[in-house]
Amino acid sequence: MADENDKPTGFKPKFWSKAILTHDGRHAFLQSVESNHVLHYTRVTLSSQKMVDGQGNTLDNEAISSLTGLSDDLKEGIMQLTPVVDNHFAVTADFDNKNVPDDIEFSSIGWYGRIDTVDPDDHDKVTETGKEVLIAVLPTTKEYEVLAAGAPDHRSTQVISAQLDFTISDAANVNMTVNEIGYVTRAELNSWEVDMEGKINKELEDQAKNLTVELDGKDATKPDENHVINLPTYDKTTIDKMMASAGKGAGIHSVQGVAPNSDGNVDLSGVFYAKEDVDRLVNAQKDRIDSLTGENGSKTNQIQDLNTQITGLNNQLNDLLNRVKFLEENAVMGKRFAKADEAAAEAWEKDHPTYIAFISDK
C-alpha cells in the first residue's frame, strides 16, 4: 500500500493515506502465488457508503477489512496497471465527469478483482473464471467528496484519480496489460485532451476573427462577435439606378422578356407578383386555415358532447332493460279469489308457477 511519507503536499488530501486491504483481497494475493492462479483486476467504483458504524463512529481497519462489498456503484473508473518493477506495481483509477449529468457524492472507492484458474504453462488460457471479490477500500477524508457534473458541451472538465501501490512476491501472477515503452495515466491523457481542445478552440476562434469576405470590389467584410458575416448588398434604389444606366448606355434589350422603357427601367409587374400582393394572399389563406381550424375544433366539441349524451342515454336504456328483465324473471303476481272459487285459484296457480292466489274468507 502507499507509504505514509508519500502524502501529497500543498493541498488537503481527499482520501486516506492508505487503502484498507480486505480479508478477501489478502486471500486473493495468497492465491496469486500458485502457478495455476492469476489475480485479475476487474473494476473500481465510486460508492456512497461511509466507513462509519450505526452511531456515526469511524470504523477501524479490522471492520473495514471484513467488508465483502460496498452498498452501491455510483460510477466505474478507468483502471490501469503499471509495469511490475522490483516486485512493485500500482493500480491507478481515474474518474472523469464526461457525460455525467449530475454531481456524484461519494464516500469511498472500492477495488474489485478475482482469482482465475489458468493453464500453468499458458497464463493467457483461463480454465475457470473466479468469483469477483472486494480487494481493497479507499475512504474519503471528509464525509464525502464530489465529482462535479460535466460541462454542457460534454467535454471532460474534471478528473479524480486514486492509486494503490502493491508489493508482491516473486511467484505472484497478476494479470495486466503493460506498455513496455512507457506509461501515462488516464488523468494525464484527459488533462492533455482538455488542454488540446482549448488550444484548438482558440485557434478556430482566431481564424474566424481573421476571416474576411470581399464582394464585387467592396471593402473586405469581417465576422461579427457571433461569427456572422454580413455581406454588403445593393438596395432597390441602387439597383434601379444601375439598371437604368445599363439600359441606356449598355444596350440591355430585355429582362425576363420585358424591354426597358426610355428611362432604362424595366417594368416586371407582369412577370412577378408584388410582395404586398403575395403577403395579402398568404395572410388571407392563413386566416382561412385558422377559421377552418376553429370551426373543426367547435365541431369536434359538439361531437364529443353528443357522444356523451348518447352514452348517457344508452346507460339509461340498459338500466331500464335490466329492470324489465329482472321483473320478468323474478316478479310474482298475486290474485284474490273468493273461497267458493278455491278450485279455480289452484288451477290458476298451477298454470302460472310465478303466480300466487289469495283465498278470501268471504
Side-chain angles (χ1 to χ4, degrees), residues 180-222:
E180 297 294 347
I181 298 175
Y183 171 79
V184 293
T185 67
R186 184 171 178 79
E188 292 172 317
L189 290 176
N190 284 342
S191 177
W192 293 339
E193 177 186 0
V194 173
D195 182 57
M196 287 303 298
E197 287 177 345
K199 290 180 179 178
I200 291 173
N201 288 338
K202 185 177 185 304
E203 182 70 19
L204 292 174
E205 182 82 12
D206 292 341
Q207 290 293 335
K209 289 180 179 178
N210 294 327
L211 178 66
T212 59
V213 176
E214 190 173 298
L215 181 65
D216 284 347
K218 295 288 185 179
D219 293 337
T221 302
K222 291 186 176 182

Side-chain angles (χ1 to χ4, degrees), residues 134-149:
L134 179 64
I135 298 290
V137 179
L138 182 61
T140 57
T141 54
K142 297 190 300 184
E143 182 178 3
Y144 64 85
E145 290 289 346
V146 177
L147 177 64

Side-chain angles (χ1 to χ4, degrees), residues 32 37-43 79 81 112-116 126 129 132-133 135 173-176:
S32 68
H37 284 164
V38 171
L39 174 59
H40 178 83
Y41 283 93
T42 54
R43 61 194 175 97
M79 186 167 55
L81 285 80
Y112 292 85
R114 65 173 188 261
I115 292 292
D116 290 343
V126 178
T129 301
E132 183 184 73
V133 297
I135 298 290
N173 302 303
V174 180
N175 186 13
M176 54 187 160

Side-chain angles (χ1 to χ4, degrees), residues 167-347:
T167 300
I168 58 177
S169 69
D170 292 333
N173 302 303
V174 180
N175 186 13
M176 54 187 160
T177 300
V178 176
N179 180 350
E180 297 294 347
I181 298 175
Y183 171 79
V184 293
T185 67
R186 184 171 178 79
E188 292 172 317
L189 290 176
N190 284 342
S191 177
W192 293 339
E193 177 186 0
V194 173
D195 182 57
M196 287 303 298
E197 287 177 345
K199 290 180 179 178
I200 291 173
N201 288 338
K202 185 177 185 304
E203 182 70 19
L204 292 174
E205 182 82 12
D206 292 341
Q207 290 293 335
K209 289 180 179 178
N210 294 327
L211 178 66
T212 59
V213 176
E214 190 173 298
L215 181 65
D216 284 347
K218 295 288 185 179
D219 293 337
T221 302
K222 291 186 176 182
D224 60 18
E225 65 276 4
N226 297 318
H227 298 169
V228 176
I229 299 176
N230 297 304
L231 295 175
T233 58
Y234 301 105
D235 57 25
K236 182 179 181 300
T237 302
T238 303
I239 292 175
D240 288 343
K241 289 181 179 179
M242 292 171 63
M243 288 295 295
S245 173
K248 290 178 179 179
I252 290 180
H253 298 292
S254 67
V255 177
Q256 293 290 325
V258 179
N261 59 21
S262 58
D263 296 326
N265 296 322
V266 180
D267 182 9
L268 297 177
S269 60
V271 179
F272 298 107
Y273 287 107
K275 181 179 182 302
E276 55 269 24
D277 294 333
V278 175
D279 289 343
R280 183 176 65 256
L281 291 173
V282 170
N283 290 331
Q285 188 71 6
K286 180 178 179 300
D287 292 340
R288 179 57 179 159
I289 292 172
D290 292 340
S291 176
L292 291 174
T293 301
E295 292 176 10
N296 288 339
S298 176
K299 295 295 183 183
T300 300
N301 292 335
Q302 293 178 18
I303 292 172
Q304 290 177 347
D305 290 340
L306 290 174
N307 285 335
T308 301
Q309 295 178 30
I310 291 171
T311 300
L313 293 174
N314 284 337
N315 291 338
Q316 295 179 20
L317 179 60
N318 289 334
D319 182 64
L320 291 173
L321 290 174
N322 289 333
R323 292 189 180 204
V324 171
K325 183 177 179 181
F326 177 84
L327 291 174
E328 288 177 348
E329 294 176 353
N330 300 283
V332 176
M333 182 178 291
K335 184 177 181 181
R336 187 177 297 278
F337 291 83
K339 188 169 184 62
D341 298 326
E342 185 173 354
E346 291 178 354

Side-chain angles (χ1 to χ4, degrees), residues 2-11 13 15-18:
D3 192 287
E4 285 284 356
N5 296 325
D6 293 336
K7 291 181 180 179
T9 59
F11 64 94
F15 303 101
W16 286 16
S17 60
K18 288 186 178 181

